[in-house]
Amino acid sequence: MESTIASTKIVRGAIWVLLMLVAMGTLMMWIMMPTNTYRNHWLLSIRKKANNSTYIGTQGAKLLIYTFPVLFIATLSSVYLHLGKKLNDFQKMGSDGKKDMLARWKQPVLVKGPLGIVSLFELSFFVMFIALLVWSFSTYLHNSLSTITAASIAENGLKIKVWEYKLETAGFWLGIVGNIALAFLFFPVTRGSSVLPLFGLTSEASIKYHIWLGHIVMTLFTAHGVIFIIVWIITHQFSEMIQWDFTGVSNVAGELSLLAGLGLWLTTFPAVRRKMFEVFFYTHYLYLLFMFFFILHVGISYSFIMLPGFFLFLIDRYLRFLQSRHRVCLLSARVLPCDTLELNFSKSPGLKYNPTSIMFMNVPSISKLQWHPFTISSNSNLEPDRLSVIIKSEGSWTQKLYQILSSPSSVDRLEVSVEGPYGPVSSHFLRHDTLVMVSGGSGITPFFSIIREFIYLSTKLKSKTPQLILICAFKRSSELTMLNLLLPIAGTPSDLSNLRLQIEAYVTREKTPTTEDYSKHHKTVWLKPSPTDAPVSAILGPNSWLWLGAVIASSFVMFLILMGIITRYYIYPIDRNTNKNFSTSTKAVLHFLVMCICIAAAGSLAVLSNKSRNARDAKQIQNLSSTPAGSPSLGLDGGAAGMELESLPHQSLVQGTNVHFGERPDLKKMLFDCKGSSVGVLVCGPKRLRHDVAAICSSGLADNLHFESISFSW
């Protein structure tokens, strides 16, 4: 066993070195791209070798420089992650006591501002990315403007003034730089990405990067479009607005792409997104039109610069589509009086996920199109055949779901489709001596999965666990019943006996305890799933990383083969690699359609290969209609503020739990009082709460505090 682990580590190390070399080489090409050295020497040399092929055509150079390296990284990363999964990194990190060498880089340096909470690591990469854009634009512009003179304009047969031509040139290079930002736009929203985990990132934690990139992309493209329109108006070239060239750039396609992008962009601002979420949700589908007309606008050759990220996103999107076609087996729902639900699904035993993972849900009876993410509260090790999510009734969609399951005549079966789970590939909580979890309202839900993970480690593996402190703030005492969900539906308070768990609960809007026993309103609804309902399972099976790598590699190879055949026997006989005799738009559409077909074929084949295993797991569902014994219930007993919760027979569940009425936690004092060389501080809840905790951890007054925010928003 030791030799196997050692050899696996060596292989992973070699793969990591190779991946970093390819990544650094790709980055160097991005940096050199605007220079004359690249354009007049490197690119010409590569084109002589790559663009003369009768199979690949004139786009061979860009395909080789920009597309192939990124897809190679994505494929090899899948192997790297698969080997990491075999090593069971989470348990090993807990046993060897390793500290995070990048802890200081992960500390927040910006707390309040347009970027939200930003760590030193994130700020450094953001500054470097902006520097890349500024460098590219300034270099492109400097090299171009130096050659623009009245004589050169006349030589090209243009009837335009020098300053007008320079303005048009500036607009052109803004579009080129916008394409650089577009190349990174889809990586953060590729939920099943094999690239993000390589850098310790998850899709849900990278949403803010997508937001930053989206604003940058649309700012550059809008400036690009506005400048060209201004030049056309000044020079009376109104016909350019309706120009769709047979070869070259199509202005109409660019205008349609920009309009779709603007429609999408305007609904992303907080004032619109928070008040009219459904408008934001549906207009985001305009990305399909935006990308399609963008490819028609610039042609397929130049699209290969941004294509890798979009290619990986389409693979992920298609796999999610296949997973969402199935109805999953919903077994029961725990209904709490604080408008909160815990849904319990049947799960394939082979499905593994880490704490703080999320899952997207769709309930067709409420909306066939809307998908909403929810935190998974269960633990795949502690509950091998169950998966639970917690839902707080706060919007129209969740309110309808709560009404369906809490009504006296609740349904016997609820059709549900899911996508996921998605989450970190490993956990690092055992690295800390003390783990402090700060939550506000429904922000407590990610911490249930963490506590259940520690229950598993302490009871099953007999591992030493850190001191756990849960600081939770609620508006009303009825929300204290959410602590019911700390244990699985079949759990017992004795499961917590091996944990050093301290819970401090704060009820901010009630000064005295209520006399109402909310435990009487807590009920469990048992459902009767259909025999066709399947357990929640990984769409690509237990070896999903290897299958994902196979899908990426095979779909790209299929794309190259099919386009090679089409180019050799259809495009090349007409065009002869001149880019003058074959429609640029037709070529772009052909490439786009073939790409989608290859992704669908490779993805479908991989899913079908795993279908038999998933079918065997589905047959394990038995006796679903029987109603097990009721789950534990946590009650509230009246008393003075600061009293301990007492609710037999679960007194051990809340042992050491203090409830404070009419006050907010003194977070600074509580965090500074934490002992240990490494104190992990996790926060999930309202924006103000996250900012307050981040400010405390970044104040420099305590070197042992290590901050981490769990949130979809920024």
Side-chain angles (χ1 to χ4, degrees):
M1 179 63 71
E2 292 295 332
S3 60
T4 302
I5 293 175
S7 60
T8 303
K9 286 185 175 181
I10 293 174
V11 173
R12 287 191 87 217
I15 293 176
W16 171 260
V17 172
L18 178 58
L19 288 172
M20 290 302 102
L21 288 175
V22 176
M24 294 302 294
T26 304
L27 178 60
M28 184 189 70
M29 297 302 292
W30 280 100
I31 295 173
M32 293 298 297
M33 185 168 61
T35 64
N36 287 329
T37 300
Y38 171 83
R39 297 169 64 191
N40 298 332
H41 299 284
W42 293 9
L43 185 59
L44 291 179
S45 177
I46 296 173
R47 279 177 174 173
K48 288 180 181 179
K49 300 177 181 179
N51 284 13
N52 291 328
S53 171
T54 58
Y55 290 92
I56 299 178
T58 56
Q59 61 267 14
K62 288 187 171 61
L63 182 68
L64 179 64
I65 296 172
Y66 300 106
T67 303
F68 175 76
V70 177
L71 296 184
F72 175 80
I73 290 173
T75 302
L76 198 56
S77 294
S78 301
V79 180
Y80 177 83
L81 294 171
H82 174 75
L83 294 176
K85 185 179 179 182
K86 290 179 63 178
L87 285 175
N88 200 347
D89 288 340
F90 174 63
Q91 295 181 19
K92 294 188 71 63
M93 285 190 294
S95 61
D96 60 18
K98 290 182 179 179
K99 302 300 181 182
D100 190 354
M101 302 301 293
L102 298 176
R104 290 191 177 275
W105 284 83
K106 295 179 181 179
Q107 287 289 80
V109 292
L110 296 179
V111 176
K112 297 180 180 180
L115 298 180
I117 301 174
V118 181
S119 68
L120 180 59
F121 194 79
E122 293 170 330
L123 183 61
S124 300
F125 272 89
F126 180 77
V127 170
M128 286 190 289
F129 182 74
I130 296 299
L132 173 64
L133 299 183
V134 173
W135 154 258
S136 299
F137 178 69
S138 60
T139 305
Y140 277 131
L141 198 61
H142 175 267
N143 293 337
S144 298
L145 295 185
S146 61
T147 63
I148 297 177
T149 62
S152 64
I153 294 175
E155 185 178 342
N156 292 326
L158 300 175
K159 297 180 180 179
I160 189 173
K161 297 178 181 178
V162 173
W163 74 268
E164 293 170 344
Y165 192 54
K166 288 185 176 181
L167 178 62
E168 184 180 44
T169 301
F172 173 78
W173 292 124
L174 282 173
I176 297 297
V177 174
N179 194 32
I180 297 176
L182 182 62
F184 294 88
L185 181 64
F186 288 94
F187 283 105
V189 288
T190 304
R191 297 177 192 164
S193 172
S194 60
V195 177
L196 292 178
L198 191 65
F199 301 96
L201 299 173
T202 62
S203 177
E204 58 272 16
S206 303
I207 293 297
K208 62 181 178 182
Y209 310 143
H210 176 71
I211 296 173
W212 299 351
L213 288 166
H215 287 308
I216 293 172
V217 167
M218 288 312 305
T219 298
L220 292 172
F221 282 165
T222 301
H224 165 75
V226 168
I227 288 176
F228 268 87
I229 291 174
I230 291 174
V231 171
W232 292 336
I233 293 175
I234 293 175
T235 58
H236 305 289
Q237 301 180 70
F238 300 104
S239 61
E240 290 289 336
M241 295 185 184
I242 56 173
Q243 190 74 28
W244 194 306
D245 289 340
F246 181 76
T247 59
V249 175
S250 167
N251 294 336
V252 175
E255 292 156 6
L256 292 174
S257 176
L258 181 59
L259 286 175
L262 288 173
L264 185 156
W265 188 30
L266 293 175
T267 62
T268 62
F269 291 93
V272 179
R273 186 180 73 244
R274 292 172 183 169
K275 294 181 180 179
M276 296 180 288
F277 178 80
E278 291 190 3
V279 174
F280 159 78
F281 178 83
Y282 291 121
T283 55
H284 239 61
Y285 284 103
L286 289 173
Y287 80 88
L288 293 171
L289 294 177
F290 171 76
M291 292 302 300
F292 179 72
F293 285 113
F294 173 83
I295 293 174
L296 294 183
H297 175 56
V298 302
I300 191 60
S301 180
Y302 199 77
S303 296
F304 278 124
I305 295 177
M306 67 83 201
L307 190 65
F310 190 54
F311 189 91
L312 295 174
F313 171 79
L314 287 180
I315 290 176
D316 177 72
R317 187 65 190 88
Y318 183 70
L319 293 175
R320 285 158 43 197
F321 167 78
L322 293 179
Q323 185 184 25
S324 66
R325 295 307 90 196
H326 302 285
R327 298 290 184 259
V328 294
C329 180
L330 177 60
L331 300 176
S332 65
R334 285 201 275 183
V335 183
L336 303 184
C338 56
D339 296 339
T340 300
L341 299 168
E342 182 190 58
L343 303 184
N344 296 285
F345 297 89
S346 174
K347 180 184 79 69
S348 168
L351 175 62
K352 301 293 182 181
Y353 50 86
N354 283 303
T356 71
S357 293
I358 62 161
M359 185 171 71
F360 285 76
M361 276 181 48
N362 170 261
V363 180
S365 60
I366 299 177
S367 173
K368 295 183 182 297
L369 296 178
Q370 288 191 39
W371 289 81
H372 294 268
F374 298 103
T375 303
I376 297 176
S377 59
S378 55
N379 178 268
S380 59
N381 294 314
L382 190 65
E383 304 152 86
D385 59 350
R386 294 290 185 271
L387 184 149
S388 305
V389 297
I390 296 177
I391 301 173
K392 176 71 173 176
S393 178
E394 294 180 334
S396 60
W397 190 92
T398 52
Q399 287 173 359
K400 291 177 182 177
L401 180 62
Y402 185 83
Q403 291 170 1
I404 291 173
L405 293 172
S406 63
S407 62
S409 57
S410 58
V411 295
D412 291 335
R413 174 178 177 263
L414 188 65
E415 288 191 352
V416 180
S417 297
V418 301
E419 292 178 357
Y422 306 105
V425 295
S426 63
S427 299
H428 55 272
F429 306 121
L430 282 178
R431 284 178 168 168
H432 303 294
D433 303 314
T434 302
L435 189 64
V436 182
M437 296 165 283
V438 184
S439 69
S442 59
I444 194 175
T445 55
F447 302 140
F448 290 157
S449 62
I450 296 175
I451 293 174
R452 292 187 189 184
E453 177 74 4
F454 284 124
I455 292 175
Y456 167 75
L457 292 173
S458 62
T459 57
K460 305 297 183 182
L461 301 183
K462 306 300 180 182
S463 299
K464 182 181 178 181
T465 58
Q467 167 74 36
L468 302 178
I469 302 175
L470 175 61
I471 304 171
C472 45
F474 303 106
K475 292 180 180 179
R476 297 174 180 83
S477 56
S478 63
E479 296 179 16
L480 288 170
T481 55
M482 292 185 69
L483 294 174
N484 276 330
L485 309 180
L486 188 64
L487 288 172
I489 196 168
T492 61
S494 62
D495 294 335
L496 294 171
S497 59
N498 294 327
L499 291 184
R500 294 177 293 160
L501 174 62
Q502 175 187 350
I503 303 177
E504 300 289 338
Y506 291 80
V507 181
T508 59
R509 295 190 179 181
E510 294 180 7
K511 296 186 179 298
T512 57
T514 179
T515 58
E516 184 174 0
D517 185 3
Y518 288 106
S519 63
K520 295 179 180 179
H521 304 291
H522 168 209
K523 68 174 183 177
T524 300
V525 179
W526 295 94
L527 303 171
K528 298 178 180 178
S530 167
T532 59
D533 291 343
V536 179
S537 57
I539 187 64
L540 294 178
N543 298 318
S544 56
W545 287 122
L546 286 182
W547 279 107
L548 178 60
V551 171
I552 295 171
S554 60
S555 59
F556 184 58
V557 170
M558 290 168 59
F559 171 74
L560 292 178
I561 293 174
L562 289 180
M563 281 315 307
I565 295 173
I566 293 174
T567 301
R568 176 63 183 86
Y569 297 103
Y570 178 51
I571 298 177
Y572 180 77
I574 299 174
D575 189 64
R576 298 289 177 179
N577 284 347
T578 62
N579 287 331
K580 295 180 180 180
N581 301 317
F582 195 91
S583 170
T584 301
S585 298
T586 303
K587 185 189 295 186
V589 170
L590 283 173
H591 279 77
F592 186 77
L593 288 177
V594 170
M595 179 180 69
C596 293
I597 291 171
C598 293
I599 289 173
S604 299
L605 185 61
V607 171
L608 287 174
S609 300
N610 286 275
K611 190 174 182 179
S612 59
R613 182 185 180 92
N614 292 338
R616 288 196 301 269
D617 290 336
K619 291 180 181 179
Q620 296 177 3
I621 303 175
Q622 297 176 355
N623 302 323
L624 296 179
S625 58
S626 61
T627 304
S631 61
S633 174
L634 177 65
L636 295 177
D637 188 33
M643 66 171 294
E644 287 193 356
L645 281 175
E646 296 180 353
S647 178
L648 294 175
H650 301 115
Q651 188 170 354
S652 60
L653 173 63
V654 293
Q655 186 176 5
T657 301
N658 292 319
V659 181
H660 309 266
F661 289 90
E663 60 178 299
R664 297 180 181 275
D666 187 349
L667 294 174
K668 180 178 291 187
K669 181 179 184 302
M670 298 177 77
L671 292 177
F672 287 167
D673 287 345
C674 292
K675 306 300 181 182
S677 60
S678 177
V679 178
V681 181
L682 307 181
V683 60
C684 185
K687 181 178 180 180
R688 180 179 175 182
L689 176 66
R690 288 183 280 116
H691 286 184
D692 289 344
V693 175
I696 295 171
C697 294
S698 61
S699 63
L701 300 177
D703 294 334
N704 62 340
L705 299 180
H706 303 287
F707 173 84
E708 181 177 342
S709 176
I710 303 175
S711 176
F712 280 102
S713 60
W714 53 293

